[in-house]
Amino acid sequence: MDRSKTIIRTSFFAILTNLFLVTFKATVGIISNSIAVILDAVNNASDALSSLITIVGAKLSTKAPDKKHPQGYGRIEYVSAMIVSAIVIYAGITSAVESVKNIINPGQVEYKTLSLIILTVALLVKFLLGLIVRHQGKKVASSALVAAGTDSLFDSILSLSVLISAVIYLLTGFSLESYVGILISAFIIKAGLEMLLETLNDILGRRADADTIRKIKACINEEKEVRGTYDVILHDYGPEKTYASLHVEVADTLTAEEIDRLNRKIEAKVYCQLGIIITAVGIYSYNTSDNEAAKIRNKVIEKIKSHDWAIQVHGFYLDTENKTMRFDVVVSFDIKAQEALKILYKDMKELYPDYTFQIAPDLDYSDL
């Protein structure tokens, strides 16, 4: 709730500031007949609208889970971010069209000292706004605020180009208005496309953050019963709503009651320390009483690791009595899983023809 309040408060502040800038820049642009200044004002107006949509998204994302959406509404923030991206792209295209029109039919530009002072103040205000919004975005881990803050800082640079073009016009009489307008439009469109792609990556699912994976593994591996943690998969249901599933490797002597107690301890520990909800803990067992298993395990791993695409072997268990062997192999994206399996089964059959194998290919979805 504190996070939501911060996002709403910061976005509301951004709206007021941008509306203030729109008023002054539009006034200067109309008085001086400057297309570049007017387009800069339009850009600020789109920023204000973007902040409004961010507020709506933040409010809706805090809605409690219900029967239709048991994981909550956190991903609405991504939808609002896509809408903001579309608005930014539209503003950029509109600005480009108006700039081209002004090149074809140029108007007379007329700047005054007061206009330059207003533009300078507006530039500084936009720069400070960008710093504040980006800082708050990083503070509450809001990609929408970070993007808005970065966009404001970038806008201040574009506003500087408008100011420079005005100074050049006053000194030389040469007008760069429309060309600066096209430049601004190009940067606006670029920023909108980058925001859109960033949001699409969130929706499609990103590669798990390596630092987060390391923290989860370190937290679990502290437990004396755990020899290793593997296959950590993060499920993102919006900011601060992360779920995870994983496997732990334990001795084959543990009872069901001991494993159950360990699972519950792991779930509570990870949530308290990292705020991540563990939804499933799979179990790998390792041999504790068969010395032959260790020798065979080393030989198997050596053979598998001879392939460049084989990143890691884990979950190894050998049943010498029933002649069965099972393990997982993490394979890179350089090879298809089915192709890797064919090679692995062929290699294992050559090494141990009397054994039956159960090999599971895992994708390299997190840094090991």
Side-chain angles (χ1 to χ4, degrees):
M1 188 61 67
D2 289 340
R3 177 181 181 275
S4 178
K5 287 181 178 178
T6 299
I7 293 174
I8 292 171
R9 233 181 358 247
T10 305
S11 298
F12 187 68
F13 173 72
I15 290 173
L16 294 178
T17 305
N18 277 306
L19 290 178
F20 167 80
L21 293 174
V22 169
T23 302
F24 281 91
K25 286 183 180 180
T27 302
V28 172
I30 293 171
I31 293 174
S32 60
N33 196 31
S34 168
I35 183 65
V37 176
I38 292 174
L39 292 181
D40 205 13
V42 171
N43 186 29
N44 289 150
S46 69
D47 290 344
L49 181 58
S50 299
S51 295
L52 178 61
I53 293 172
T54 300
I55 289 175
V56 174
K59 287 291 289 183
L60 291 176
S61 68
T62 60
K63 189 177 177 182
D66 54 33
K67 190 174 181 178
K68 285 187 176 181
H69 303 93
Q71 305 301 341
Y73 291 78
R75 287 179 175 172
I76 283 183
E77 282 198 28
Y78 301 146
V79 177
S80 64
M82 289 189 70
I83 296 173
V84 168
S85 303
I87 291 172
V88 172
I89 294 171
Y90 176 76
I93 294 174
T94 303
S95 299
V97 171
E98 292 303 318
S99 296
V100 171
K101 287 181 179 179
N102 201 63
I103 290 175
I104 298 172
N105 298 302
Q108 183 64 35
V109 183
E110 185 179 347
Y111 284 110
K112 295 182 180 179
T113 304
L114 180 60
S115 299
L116 298 182
I117 294 173
I118 292 175
L119 289 177
T120 303
V121 172
L123 187 157
L124 294 174
V125 170
K126 192 67 173 177
F127 180 76
L128 292 174
L129 176 65
L131 290 178
I132 294 171
V133 173
R134 189 170 68 171
H135 172 73
Q136 294 288 34
K138 290 181 177 180
K139 184 178 176 182
V140 298
S142 169
S143 57
L145 284 184
V146 171
T150 303
D151 185 47
S152 291
L153 290 174
F154 196 69
D155 286 347
S156 66
I157 297 175
L158 297 180
S159 296
L160 179 61
S161 69
V162 174
L163 182 62
I164 292 173
S165 69
V167 173
I168 291 174
Y169 177 77
L170 289 175
L171 294 176
T172 66
F174 184 70
S175 177
L176 296 172
E177 293 294 311
S178 300
Y179 301 99
V180 171
I182 290 177
L183 178 65
I184 292 174
S185 303
F187 280 117
I188 292 173
I189 294 171
K190 178 177 178 292
L193 289 173
E194 288 175 348
M195 289 169 61
L196 181 62
L197 291 175
E198 192 76 8
T199 306
L200 284 174
N201 285 333
D202 286 327
I203 293 173
L204 291 174
R206 296 174 180 272
R207 182 183 178 87
D209 176 63
D211 186 53
T212 302
I213 297 295
R214 280 193 291 270
K215 287 179 180 178
I216 292 174
K217 289 184 175 182
C219 177
I220 296 174
N221 290 342
E222 289 175 351
E223 300 304 314
K224 65 180 186 298
E225 299 95 338
V226 177
R227 189 166 80 166
T229 303
Y230 308 99
D231 309 331
V232 180
I233 302 177
L234 299 181
H235 310 275
D236 180 8
Y237 286 93
E240 295 188 332
K241 293 180 181 177
T242 304
Y243 298 80
S245 59
L246 51 90
H247 280 91
V248 294
E249 192 171 37
V250 298
D252 57 2
T253 55
L254 288 185
T255 65
E257 188 275 332
E258 289 171 327
I259 291 174
D260 178 56
R261 186 171 64 244
L262 175 63
N263 281 359
R264 295 175 188 278
K265 186 177 181 181
I266 286 172
E267 291 169 2
K269 188 177 181 182
V270 171
Y271 182 74
C272 289
Q273 292 189 14
L274 303 174
I276 295 173
I277 299 172
I278 302 296
T279 57
V281 179
I283 299 297
Y284 292 134
S285 62
Y286 63 86
N287 299 94
T288 57
S289 58
D290 193 339
N291 293 329
E292 183 67 19
K295 296 178 183 178
I296 293 177
R297 178 179 183 273
N298 292 335
K299 191 173 181 179
V300 168
I301 291 177
E302 183 181 358
K303 179 63 178 177
I304 294 173
K305 284 294 190 74
S306 66
H307 301 293
D308 293 336
W309 42 261
I311 299 174
Q312 185 192 73
V313 181
H314 59 256
F316 183 93
Y317 191 82
L318 183 72
D319 185 343
T320 52
E321 183 178 344
N322 295 308
K323 296 291 184 180
T324 60
M325 189 186 305
R326 59 180 183 265
F327 55 85
D328 290 10
V329 179
V330 179
V331 299
S332 72
F333 290 101
D334 297 328
I335 188 172
K336 292 182 179 179
Q338 292 303 317
E339 184 181 345
L341 273 180
K342 288 180 181 178
I343 296 172
L344 292 172
Y345 275 112
K346 181 176 180 293
D347 288 345
M348 294 302 103
K349 275 297 182 183
E350 290 176 356
L351 284 177
Y352 302 100
D354 297 334
Y355 273 79
T356 300
F357 303 93
Q358 184 180 349
I359 307 172
D362 293 333
L363 292 177
D364 178 24
Y365 41 72
S366 66
D367 292 325
L368 302 171

